[in-house]
mmCIF file of all heavy atoms in Angstrom:
data_model
loop_
_atom_site.group_PDB
_atom_site.id
_atom_site.type_symbol
_atom_site.label_atom_id
_atom_site.label_comp_id
_atom_site.label_asym_id
_atom_site.label_seq_id
_atom_site.Cartn_x
_atom_site.Cartn_y
_atom_site.Cartn_z
ATOM 1 N N MET A 4 -10.873 2.713 6.596
ATOM 2 C CA MET A 4 -10.514 3.960 6.109
ATOM 3 C C MET A 4 -9.755 4.760 7.134
ATOM 4 O O MET A 4 -8.892 5.600 6.771
ATOM 5 C CB MET A 4 -11.686 4.712 5.599
ATOM 6 C CG MET A 4 -11.374 5.821 4.730
ATOM 7 S SD MET A 4 -10.639 5.223 3.183
ATOM 8 C CE MET A 4 -10.676 6.608 2.248
ATOM 9 N N SER A 5 -10.111 4.623 8.369
ATOM 10 C CA SER A 5 -9.418 5.395 9.429
ATOM 11 C C SER A 5 -7.945 5.028 9.564
ATOM 12 O O SER A 5 -7.105 5.843 10.020
ATOM 13 C CB SER A 5 -10.147 5.185 10.710
ATOM 14 O OG SER A 5 -9.935 3.868 11.180
ATOM 15 N N LYS A 6 -7.557 3.833 9.224
ATOM 16 C CA LYS A 6 -6.139 3.489 9.297
ATOM 17 C C LYS A 6 -5.379 4.260 8.229
ATOM 18 O O LYS A 6 -4.230 4.673 8.482
ATOM 19 C CB LYS A 6 -5.990 1.968 9.083
ATOM 20 C CG LYS A 6 -6.502 1.175 10.257
ATOM 21 C CD LYS A 6 -5.953 -0.182 10.246
ATOM 22 C CE LYS A 6 -6.636 -1.055 11.251
ATOM 23 N NZ LYS A 6 -6.129 -0.841 12.621
ATOM 24 N N LEU A 7 -5.978 4.433 7.040
ATOM 25 C CA LEU A 7 -5.292 5.234 6.030
ATOM 26 C C LEU A 7 -5.073 6.638 6.431
ATOM 27 O O LEU A 7 -4.002 7.314 6.164
ATOM 28 C CB LEU A 7 -6.060 5.142 4.682
ATOM 29 C CG LEU A 7 -6.064 3.841 3.994
ATOM 30 C CD1 LEU A 7 -6.942 3.891 2.746
ATOM 31 C CD2 LEU A 7 -4.684 3.428 3.594
ATOM 32 N N LEU A 8 -6.123 7.188 7.146
ATOM 33 C CA LEU A 8 -5.986 8.611 7.594
ATOM 34 C C LEU A 8 -4.889 8.627 8.702
ATOM 35 O O LEU A 8 -4.224 9.673 8.825
ATOM 36 C CB LEU A 8 -7.401 9.039 8.132
ATOM 37 C CG LEU A 8 -8.414 9.355 7.068
ATOM 38 C CD1 LEU A 8 -9.747 9.702 7.732
ATOM 39 C CD2 LEU A 8 -7.950 10.333 6.159
ATOM 40 N N LEU A 9 -4.857 7.594 9.561
ATOM 41 C CA LEU A 9 -3.881 7.621 10.612
ATOM 42 C C LEU A 9 -2.437 7.560 10.044
ATOM 43 O O LEU A 9 -1.536 8.315 10.508
ATOM 44 C CB LEU A 9 -4.092 6.348 11.520
ATOM 45 C CG LEU A 9 -3.232 6.253 12.748
ATOM 46 C CD1 LEU A 9 -3.472 7.424 13.754
ATOM 47 C CD2 LEU A 9 -3.395 4.911 13.436
ATOM 48 N N ILE A 10 -2.218 6.782 8.933
ATOM 49 C CA ILE A 10 -0.913 6.681 8.324
ATOM 50 C C ILE A 10 -0.633 8.085 7.733
ATOM 51 O O ILE A 10 0.481 8.512 7.768
ATOM 52 C CB ILE A 10 -0.892 5.532 7.244
ATOM 53 C CG1 ILE A 10 -0.977 4.211 7.985
ATOM 54 C CG2 ILE A 10 0.271 5.629 6.415
ATOM 55 C CD1 ILE A 10 -1.134 3.016 7.093
ATOM 56 N N TRP A 11 -1.598 8.624 7.030
ATOM 57 C CA TRP A 11 -1.375 9.909 6.340
ATOM 58 C C TRP A 11 -1.069 11.034 7.433
ATOM 59 O O TRP A 11 -0.129 11.762 7.193
ATOM 60 C CB TRP A 11 -2.706 10.313 5.595
ATOM 61 C CG TRP A 11 -2.564 11.668 5.012
ATOM 62 C CD1 TRP A 11 -3.112 12.793 5.401
ATOM 63 C CD2 TRP A 11 -1.658 12.010 3.868
ATOM 64 N NE1 TRP A 11 -2.802 13.889 4.528
ATOM 65 C CE2 TRP A 11 -1.843 13.378 3.685
ATOM 66 C CE3 TRP A 11 -0.762 11.355 3.037
ATOM 67 C CZ2 TRP A 11 -1.171 14.033 2.574
ATOM 68 C CZ3 TRP A 11 -0.160 11.980 2.045
ATOM 69 C CH2 TRP A 11 -0.331 13.342 1.840
ATOM 70 N N ASP A 12 -1.736 11.005 8.546
ATOM 71 C CA ASP A 12 -1.363 11.969 9.586
ATOM 72 C C ASP A 12 0.025 11.771 10.141
ATOM 73 O O ASP A 12 0.782 12.731 10.353
ATOM 74 C CB ASP A 12 -2.364 11.918 10.705
ATOM 75 C CG ASP A 12 -3.743 12.515 10.409
ATOM 76 O OD1 ASP A 12 -3.735 13.369 9.485
ATOM 77 O OD2 ASP A 12 -4.748 12.183 11.033
ATOM 78 N N PHE A 13 0.404 10.515 10.212
ATOM 79 C CA PHE A 13 1.746 10.156 10.640
ATOM 80 C C PHE A 13 2.794 10.701 9.687
ATOM 81 O O PHE A 13 3.747 11.397 10.068
ATOM 82 C CB PHE A 13 1.927 8.676 10.864
ATOM 83 C CG PHE A 13 3.374 8.266 11.080
ATOM 84 C CD1 PHE A 13 4.034 8.448 12.393
ATOM 85 C CD2 PHE A 13 4.151 7.741 10.131
ATOM 86 C CE1 PHE A 13 5.275 8.069 12.626
ATOM 87 C CE2 PHE A 13 5.455 7.334 10.333
ATOM 88 C CZ PHE A 13 5.965 7.507 11.599
ATOM 89 N N LEU A 14 2.577 10.540 8.411
ATOM 90 C CA LEU A 14 3.557 10.964 7.415
ATOM 91 C C LEU A 14 3.576 12.547 7.362
ATOM 92 O O LEU A 14 4.652 13.063 7.199
ATOM 93 C CB LEU A 14 3.111 10.446 6.016
ATOM 94 C CG LEU A 14 3.242 8.948 5.835
ATOM 95 C CD1 LEU A 14 2.690 8.552 4.449
ATOM 96 C CD2 LEU A 14 4.662 8.513 5.898
ATOM 97 N N LYS A 15 2.494 13.151 7.603
ATOM 98 C CA LYS A 15 2.371 14.578 7.497
ATOM 99 C C LYS A 15 3.083 15.250 8.684
ATOM 100 O O LYS A 15 3.800 16.200 8.570
ATOM 101 C CB LYS A 15 0.896 15.022 7.391
ATOM 102 C CG LYS A 15 0.767 16.422 7.003
ATOM 103 C CD LYS A 15 -0.731 16.775 6.702
ATOM 104 C CE LYS A 15 -1.656 16.375 7.840
ATOM 105 N NZ LYS A 15 -3.029 16.822 7.619
ATOM 106 N N VAL A 16 2.718 14.732 9.881
ATOM 107 C CA VAL A 16 3.281 15.285 11.162
ATOM 108 C C VAL A 16 4.795 14.989 11.283
ATOM 109 O O VAL A 16 5.568 15.885 11.659
ATOM 110 C CB VAL A 16 2.548 14.814 12.352
ATOM 111 C CG1 VAL A 16 3.243 15.177 13.651
ATOM 112 C CG2 VAL A 16 1.169 15.255 12.297
ATOM 113 N N ARG A 17 5.224 13.826 10.979
ATOM 114 C CA ARG A 17 6.615 13.375 11.242
ATOM 115 C C ARG A 17 7.534 13.695 10.091
ATOM 116 O O ARG A 17 8.750 13.460 10.085
ATOM 117 C CB ARG A 17 6.720 11.878 11.532
ATOM 118 C CG ARG A 17 5.922 11.371 12.591
ATOM 119 C CD ARG A 17 6.641 11.777 13.955
ATOM 120 N NE ARG A 17 5.848 11.193 15.035
ATOM 121 C CZ ARG A 17 5.985 11.412 16.254
ATOM 122 N NH1 ARG A 17 6.911 12.275 16.568
ATOM 123 N NH2 ARG A 17 5.270 10.914 17.150
ATOM 124 N N LYS A 18 6.983 14.257 8.964
ATOM 125 C CA LYS A 18 7.745 14.637 7.814
ATOM 126 C C LYS A 18 8.497 13.413 7.160
ATOM 127 O O LYS A 18 9.610 13.525 6.765
ATOM 128 C CB LYS A 18 8.692 15.777 8.059
ATOM 129 C CG LYS A 18 8.136 16.938 8.690
ATOM 130 C CD LYS A 18 7.288 17.780 7.673
ATOM 131 C CE LYS A 18 6.844 19.110 8.256
ATOM 132 N NZ LYS A 18 5.472 19.260 8.543
ATOM 133 N N LYS A 19 7.852 12.300 7.187
ATOM 134 C CA LYS A 19 8.436 11.140 6.623
ATOM 135 C C LYS A 19 7.952 10.860 5.181
ATOM 136 O O LYS A 19 7.372 9.826 4.801
ATOM 137 C CB LYS A 19 8.060 9.814 7.452
ATOM 138 C CG LYS A 19 8.475 9.949 8.917
ATOM 139 C CD LYS A 19 9.877 9.701 9.160
ATOM 140 C CE LYS A 19 10.303 9.705 10.543
ATOM 141 N NZ LYS A 19 11.698 9.533 10.859
ATOM 142 N N TRP A 20 8.196 11.756 4.300
ATOM 143 C CA TRP A 20 7.673 11.765 2.949
ATOM 144 C C TRP A 20 8.319 10.572 2.204
ATOM 145 O O TRP A 20 7.738 10.200 1.164
ATOM 146 C CB TRP A 20 7.891 13.120 2.277
ATOM 147 C CG TRP A 20 6.996 14.207 2.910
ATOM 148 C CD1 TRP A 20 7.550 15.303 3.542
ATOM 149 C CD2 TRP A 20 5.634 14.222 3.036
ATOM 150 N NE1 TRP A 20 6.521 16.035 4.047
ATOM 151 C CE2 TRP A 20 5.364 15.406 3.734
ATOM 152 C CE3 TRP A 20 4.584 13.384 2.682
ATOM 153 C CZ2 TRP A 20 4.019 15.790 4.022
ATOM 154 C CZ3 TRP A 20 3.243 13.826 2.896
ATOM 155 C CH2 TRP A 20 3.042 14.934 3.647
ATOM 156 N N TRP A 21 9.516 10.176 2.609
ATOM 157 C CA TRP A 21 10.132 9.087 1.846
ATOM 158 C C TRP A 21 9.436 7.790 2.026
ATOM 159 O O TRP A 21 9.532 6.824 1.247
ATOM 160 C CB TRP A 21 11.611 8.953 2.265
ATOM 161 C CG TRP A 21 11.788 8.708 3.715
ATOM 162 C CD1 TRP A 21 11.874 9.598 4.748
ATOM 163 C CD2 TRP A 21 11.745 7.375 4.405
ATOM 164 N NE1 TRP A 21 11.918 9.029 5.918
ATOM 165 C CE2 TRP A 21 11.896 7.604 5.774
ATOM 166 C CE3 TRP A 21 11.703 6.120 3.969
ATOM 167 C CZ2 TRP A 21 11.915 6.612 6.704
ATOM 168 C CZ3 TRP A 21 11.806 5.132 4.866
ATOM 169 C CH2 TRP A 21 11.911 5.334 6.229
ATOM 170 N N LEU A 22 8.500 7.660 3.035
ATOM 171 C CA LEU A 22 7.691 6.440 3.233
ATOM 172 C C LEU A 22 6.498 6.414 2.271
ATOM 173 O O LEU A 22 5.933 5.317 2.107
ATOM 174 C CB LEU A 22 7.189 6.369 4.647
ATOM 175 C CG LEU A 22 8.213 5.930 5.687
ATOM 176 C CD1 LEU A 22 7.577 6.077 7.068
ATOM 177 C CD2 LEU A 22 8.742 4.557 5.385
ATOM 178 N N THR A 23 6.103 7.504 1.660
ATOM 179 C CA THR A 23 4.919 7.589 0.821
ATOM 180 C C THR A 23 4.972 6.625 -0.332
ATOM 181 O O THR A 23 3.972 5.875 -0.529
ATOM 182 C CB THR A 23 4.709 9.025 0.338
ATOM 183 O OG1 THR A 23 4.672 9.849 1.468
ATOM 184 C CG2 THR A 23 3.363 9.171 -0.381
ATOM 185 N N PRO A 24 6.040 6.480 -1.115
ATOM 186 C CA PRO A 24 6.023 5.537 -2.201
ATOM 187 C C PRO A 24 5.907 4.051 -1.685
ATOM 188 O O PRO A 24 5.263 3.264 -2.328
ATOM 189 C CB PRO A 24 7.302 5.721 -2.859
ATOM 190 C CG PRO A 24 7.812 7.077 -2.449
ATOM 191 C CD PRO A 24 7.243 7.362 -1.148
ATOM 192 N N ILE A 25 6.567 3.746 -0.596
ATOM 193 C CA ILE A 25 6.475 2.362 0.000
ATOM 194 C C ILE A 25 5.008 2.063 0.341
ATOM 195 O O ILE A 25 4.501 1.029 0.046
ATOM 196 C CB ILE A 25 7.434 2.373 1.146
ATOM 197 C CG1 ILE A 25 8.887 2.530 0.728
ATOM 198 C CG2 ILE A 25 7.265 0.949 1.849
ATOM 199 C CD1 ILE A 25 9.801 2.686 1.913
ATOM 200 N N VAL A 26 4.272 3.033 1.028
ATOM 201 C CA VAL A 26 2.960 2.767 1.470
ATOM 202 C C VAL A 26 2.112 2.597 0.185
ATOM 203 O O VAL A 26 1.209 1.772 0.135
ATOM 204 C CB VAL A 26 2.533 3.918 2.356
ATOM 205 C CG1 VAL A 26 1.047 3.930 2.631
ATOM 206 C CG2 VAL A 26 3.290 3.915 3.602
ATOM 207 N N LEU A 27 2.288 3.458 -0.774
ATOM 208 C CA LEU A 27 1.426 3.355 -2.003
ATOM 209 C C LEU A 27 1.612 2.035 -2.750
ATOM 210 O O LEU A 27 0.683 1.450 -3.203
ATOM 211 C CB LEU A 27 1.785 4.601 -2.913
ATOM 212 C CG LEU A 27 1.284 5.873 -2.472
ATOM 213 C CD1 LEU A 27 1.682 6.938 -3.389
ATOM 214 C CD2 LEU A 27 -0.225 5.879 -2.227
ATOM 215 N N VAL A 28 2.848 1.573 -2.766
ATOM 216 C CA VAL A 28 3.135 0.295 -3.508
ATOM 217 C C VAL A 28 2.512 -0.859 -2.748
ATOM 218 O O VAL A 28 1.905 -1.800 -3.278
ATOM 219 C CB VAL A 28 4.659 0.098 -3.688
ATOM 220 C CG1 VAL A 28 4.992 -1.304 -4.102
ATOM 221 C CG2 VAL A 28 5.210 1.111 -4.768
ATOM 222 N N LEU A 29 2.591 -0.830 -1.355
ATOM 223 C CA LEU A 29 2.017 -1.889 -0.572
ATOM 224 C C LEU A 29 0.447 -1.904 -0.759
ATOM 225 O O LEU A 29 -0.118 -2.967 -0.808
ATOM 226 C CB LEU A 29 2.386 -1.731 0.826
ATOM 227 C CG LEU A 29 3.867 -2.050 1.183
ATOM 228 C CD1 LEU A 29 4.184 -1.715 2.653
ATOM 229 C CD2 LEU A 29 4.143 -3.536 0.936
ATOM 230 N N LEU A 30 -0.124 -0.669 -0.760
ATOM 231 C CA LEU A 30 -1.597 -0.617 -0.922
ATOM 232 C C LEU A 30 -1.985 -1.126 -2.358
ATOM 233 O O LEU A 30 -2.996 -1.860 -2.532
ATOM 234 C CB LEU A 30 -2.089 0.804 -0.803
ATOM 235 C CG LEU A 30 -2.032 1.294 0.650
ATOM 236 C CD1 LEU A 30 -2.419 2.841 0.664
ATOM 237 C CD2 LEU A 30 -3.070 0.569 1.471
ATOM 238 N N LEU A 31 -1.200 -0.723 -3.276
ATOM 239 C CA LEU A 31 -1.510 -1.248 -4.695
ATOM 240 C C LEU A 31 -1.405 -2.713 -4.890
ATOM 241 O O LEU A 31 -2.253 -3.359 -5.341
ATOM 242 C CB LEU A 31 -0.617 -0.496 -5.702
ATOM 243 C CG LEU A 31 -0.830 -0.879 -7.125
ATOM 244 C CD1 LEU A 31 -2.186 -0.449 -7.647
ATOM 245 C CD2 LEU A 31 0.330 -0.274 -7.989
ATOM 246 N N LEU A 32 -0.334 -3.314 -4.260
ATOM 247 C CA LEU A 32 -0.124 -4.782 -4.334
ATOM 248 C C LEU A 32 -1.279 -5.566 -3.562
ATOM 249 O O LEU A 32 -1.766 -6.513 -4.005
ATOM 250 C CB LEU A 32 1.175 -5.176 -3.787
ATOM 251 C CG LEU A 32 2.392 -4.861 -4.731
ATOM 252 C CD1 LEU A 32 3.654 -5.197 -3.998
ATOM 253 C CD2 LEU A 32 2.265 -5.621 -5.981
ATOM 254 N N SER A 33 -1.606 -4.939 -2.382
ATOM 255 C CA SER A 33 -2.676 -5.670 -1.589
ATOM 256 C C SER A 33 -4.036 -5.481 -2.350
ATOM 257 O O SER A 33 -4.836 -6.462 -2.276
ATOM 258 C CB SER A 33 -2.724 -4.999 -0.231
ATOM 259 O OG SER A 33 -3.086 -3.617 -0.291
ATOM 260 N N LEU A 34 -4.259 -4.350 -3.010
ATOM 261 C CA LEU A 34 -5.535 -4.334 -3.774
ATOM 262 C C LEU A 34 -5.516 -5.293 -4.914
ATOM 263 O O LEU A 34 -6.548 -5.876 -5.174
ATOM 264 C CB LEU A 34 -5.711 -2.820 -4.254
ATOM 265 C CG LEU A 34 -6.917 -2.514 -5.063
ATOM 266 C CD1 LEU A 34 -8.108 -2.578 -4.134
ATOM 267 C CD2 LEU A 34 -6.781 -1.134 -5.656
ATOM 268 N N ILE A 35 -4.454 -5.448 -5.600
ATOM 269 C CA ILE A 35 -4.443 -6.343 -6.670
ATOM 270 C C ILE A 35 -4.547 -7.802 -6.234
ATOM 271 O O ILE A 35 -5.344 -8.555 -6.855
ATOM 272 C CB ILE A 35 -3.018 -6.273 -7.488
ATOM 273 C CG1 ILE A 35 -2.940 -4.904 -8.229
ATOM 274 C CG2 ILE A 35 -2.787 -7.453 -8.405
ATOM 275 C CD1 ILE A 35 -1.569 -4.722 -8.859
ATOM 276 N N ILE A 36 -4.013 -8.082 -5.144
ATOM 277 C CA ILE A 36 -4.153 -9.470 -4.593
ATOM 278 C C ILE A 36 -5.631 -9.765 -4.234
ATOM 279 O O ILE A 36 -6.193 -10.828 -4.526
ATOM 280 C CB ILE A 36 -3.207 -9.753 -3.380
ATOM 281 C CG1 ILE A 36 -1.772 -9.775 -3.904
ATOM 282 C CG2 ILE A 36 -3.592 -11.008 -2.628
ATOM 283 C CD1 ILE A 36 -0.767 -9.766 -2.797
ATOM 284 N N VAL A 37 -6.262 -8.736 -3.597
ATOM 285 C CA VAL A 37 -7.675 -8.930 -3.222
ATOM 286 C C VAL A 37 -8.522 -9.065 -4.409
ATOM 287 O O VAL A 37 -9.479 -9.850 -4.417
ATOM 288 C CB VAL A 37 -8.127 -7.744 -2.334
ATOM 289 C CG1 VAL A 37 -9.634 -7.732 -2.062
ATOM 290 C CG2 VAL A 37 -7.411 -7.910 -0.952
ATOM 291 N N LEU A 38 -8.303 -8.236 -5.443
ATOM 292 C CA LEU A 38 -9.245 -8.209 -6.523
ATOM 293 C C LEU A 38 -9.137 -9.449 -7.512
ATOM 294 O O LEU A 38 -10.053 -9.860 -8.089
ATOM 295 C CB LEU A 38 -8.997 -6.919 -7.433
ATOM 296 C CG LEU A 38 -9.402 -5.613 -6.764
ATOM 297 C CD1 LEU A 38 -9.034 -4.469 -7.738
ATOM 298 C CD2 LEU A 38 -10.840 -5.634 -6.526
ATOM 299 N N VAL A 39 -7.909 -10.038 -7.543
ATOM 300 C CA VAL A 39 -7.757 -11.177 -8.500
ATOM 301 C C VAL A 39 -7.704 -12.489 -7.720
ATOM 302 O O VAL A 39 -7.411 -13.502 -8.285
ATOM 303 C CB VAL A 39 -6.499 -11.069 -9.374
ATOM 304 C CG1 VAL A 39 -6.539 -9.841 -10.198
ATOM 305 C CG2 VAL A 39 -5.281 -11.109 -8.482
ATOM 306 N N ASN A 40 -8.154 -12.523 -6.475
ATOM 307 C CA ASN A 40 -8.097 -13.664 -5.671
ATOM 308 C C ASN A 40 -9.115 -14.678 -6.251
ATOM 309 O O ASN A 40 -10.266 -14.477 -6.375
ATOM 310 C CB ASN A 40 -8.543 -13.403 -4.214
ATOM 311 C CG ASN A 40 -8.197 -14.554 -3.325
ATOM 312 O OD1 ASN A 40 -7.612 -15.493 -3.706
ATOM 313 N ND2 ASN A 40 -8.746 -14.414 -2.125
ATOM 314 N N GLY A 41 -8.571 -15.861 -6.654
ATOM 315 C CA GLY A 41 -9.373 -16.922 -7.231
ATOM 316 C C GLY A 41 -9.739 -16.741 -8.785
ATOM 317 O O GLY A 41 -10.541 -17.511 -9.306
ATOM 318 N N SER A 42 -9.171 -15.862 -9.360
ATOM 319 C CA SER A 42 -9.361 -15.704 -10.787
ATOM 320 C C SER A 42 -8.380 -16.314 -11.661
ATOM 321 O O SER A 42 -7.454 -16.956 -11.203
ATOM 322 C CB SER A 42 -9.497 -14.150 -11.181
ATOM 323 O OG SER A 42 -8.191 -13.647 -11.155
ATOM 324 N N ALA A 43 -8.468 -16.237 -12.893
ATOM 325 C CA ALA A 43 -7.540 -16.831 -13.886
ATOM 326 C C ALA A 43 -6.217 -16.099 -13.852
ATOM 327 O O ALA A 43 -5.180 -16.622 -14.328
ATOM 328 C CB ALA A 43 -8.089 -16.847 -15.302
ATOM 329 N N LEU A 44 -6.168 -14.950 -13.337
ATOM 330 C CA LEU A 44 -4.900 -14.167 -13.218
ATOM 331 C C LEU A 44 -4.101 -14.531 -12.007
ATOM 332 O O LEU A 44 -2.948 -14.066 -11.943
ATOM 333 C CB LEU A 44 -5.219 -12.671 -13.216
ATOM 334 C CG LEU A 44 -5.811 -12.108 -14.507
ATOM 335 C CD1 LEU A 44 -6.101 -10.623 -14.252
ATOM 336 C CD2 LEU A 44 -4.846 -12.278 -15.676
ATOM 337 N N ALA A 45 -4.566 -15.330 -11.118
ATOM 338 C CA ALA A 45 -3.890 -15.651 -9.890
ATOM 339 C C ALA A 45 -2.471 -16.254 -10.117
ATOM 340 O O ALA A 45 -1.539 -15.839 -9.390
ATOM 341 C CB ALA A 45 -4.728 -16.569 -9.055
ATOM 342 N N PRO A 46 -2.299 -17.197 -11.051
ATOM 343 C CA PRO A 46 -0.865 -17.729 -11.283
ATOM 344 C C PRO A 46 0.091 -16.629 -11.567
ATOM 345 O O PRO A 46 1.279 -16.706 -11.242
ATOM 346 C CB PRO A 46 -1.107 -18.801 -12.325
ATOM 347 C CG PRO A 46 -2.518 -19.133 -12.252
ATOM 348 C CD PRO A 46 -3.221 -17.914 -11.933
ATOM 349 N N PHE A 47 -0.332 -15.720 -12.390
ATOM 350 C CA PHE A 47 0.521 -14.557 -12.823
ATOM 351 C C PHE A 47 0.923 -13.713 -11.636
ATOM 352 O O PHE A 47 2.025 -13.180 -11.583
ATOM 353 C CB PHE A 47 -0.029 -13.780 -13.955
ATOM 354 C CG PHE A 47 -0.285 -14.643 -15.168
ATOM 355 C CD1 PHE A 47 -1.585 -14.920 -15.538
ATOM 356 C CD2 PHE A 47 0.765 -15.154 -15.891
ATOM 357 C CE1 PHE A 47 -1.857 -15.709 -16.650
ATOM 358 C CE2 PHE A 47 0.520 -15.936 -17.054
ATOM 359 C CZ PHE A 47 -0.805 -16.199 -17.418
ATOM 360 N N ILE A 48 -0.070 -13.414 -10.770
ATOM 361 C CA ILE A 48 0.230 -12.637 -9.572
ATOM 362 C C ILE A 48 1.172 -13.344 -8.632
ATOM 363 O O ILE A 48 2.018 -12.690 -8.112
ATOM 364 C CB ILE A 48 -1.122 -12.267 -8.900
ATOM 365 C CG1 ILE A 48 -2.042 -11.513 -9.828
ATOM 366 C CG2 ILE A 48 -0.904 -11.538 -7.570
ATOM 367 C CD1 ILE A 48 -1.466 -10.173 -10.295
ATOM 368 N N TYR A 49 0.974 -14.637 -8.513
ATOM 369 C CA TYR A 49 1.859 -15.352 -7.545
ATOM 370 C C TYR A 49 3.267 -15.474 -8.066
ATOM 371 O O TYR A 49 4.165 -15.554 -7.285
ATOM 372 C CB TYR A 49 1.240 -16.805 -7.344
ATOM 373 C CG TYR A 49 0.010 -16.804 -6.573
ATOM 374 C CD1 TYR A 49 -1.031 -17.499 -7.029
ATOM 375 C CD2 TYR A 49 -0.119 -16.076 -5.454
ATOM 376 C CE1 TYR A 49 -2.312 -17.554 -6.359
ATOM 377 C CE2 TYR A 49 -1.352 -16.071 -4.731
ATOM 378 C CZ TYR A 49 -2.350 -16.790 -5.194
ATOM 379 O OH TYR A 49 -3.626 -16.803 -4.526
ATOM 380 N N SER A 50 3.454 -15.407 -9.386
ATOM 381 C CA SER A 50 4.857 -15.377 -9.909
ATOM 382 C C SER A 50 5.608 -14.122 -9.576
ATOM 383 O O SER A 50 6.785 -14.127 -9.611
ATOM 384 C CB SER A 50 4.812 -15.663 -11.357
ATOM 385 O OG SER A 50 4.190 -14.551 -12.071
ATOM 386 N N ILE A 51 4.857 -13.016 -9.321
ATOM 387 C CA ILE A 51 5.577 -11.716 -8.954
ATOM 388 C C ILE A 51 6.307 -11.965 -7.649
ATOM 389 O O ILE A 51 7.305 -11.415 -7.387
ATOM 390 C CB ILE A 51 4.539 -10.638 -8.825
ATOM 391 C CG1 ILE A 51 3.985 -10.334 -10.210
ATOM 392 C CG2 ILE A 51 5.152 -9.383 -8.165
ATOM 393 C CD1 ILE A 51 2.907 -9.288 -10.258
ATOM 394 N N PHE A 52 5.690 -12.739 -6.706
ATOM 395 C CA PHE A 52 6.284 -12.851 -5.390
ATOM 396 C C PHE A 52 7.134 -14.108 -5.301
ATOM 397 O O PHE A 52 7.765 -14.439 -4.490
ATOM 398 C CB PHE A 52 5.193 -12.973 -4.296
ATOM 399 C CG PHE A 52 4.277 -11.833 -4.420
ATOM 400 C CD1 PHE A 52 3.019 -11.919 -4.867
ATOM 401 C CD2 PHE A 52 4.664 -10.568 -3.929
ATOM 402 C CE1 PHE A 52 2.152 -10.796 -4.935
ATOM 403 C CE2 PHE A 52 3.835 -9.481 -3.937
ATOM 404 C CZ PHE A 52 2.546 -9.602 -4.415
#
């Protein structure tokens, strides 16, 4: 969790708000990959990439 706070502090201090959507999409994709790892949905997730 501290890494997320570190990224958030970086975005806030450096005023790099354009990076926020990129970070959110990467977090969402990584969460999806972790949650469906080994399930029946895995072939559909792999087709995205």
Side-chain angles (χ1 to χ4, degrees):
M4 194 67 167
S5 65
K6 293 197 188 279
L7 291 175
L8 292 175
L9 185 66
I10 292 171
W11 177 252
D12 286 338
F13 172 77
L14 292 174
K15 194 168 55 172
V16 170
R17 302 282 184 194
K18 307 288 192 247
K19 303 283 185 182
W20 296 115
W21 57 272
L22 285 174
T23 305
I25 298 169
V26 171
L27 290 176
V28 167
L29 288 174
L30 286 173
L31 181 65
L32 286 176
S33 62
L34 181 67
I35 289 172
I36 290 172
V37 167
L38 290 178
V39 300
N40 192 11
S42 72
L44 294 176
F47 299 110
I48 298 300
Y49 293 131
S50 66
I51 292 174
F52 303 106

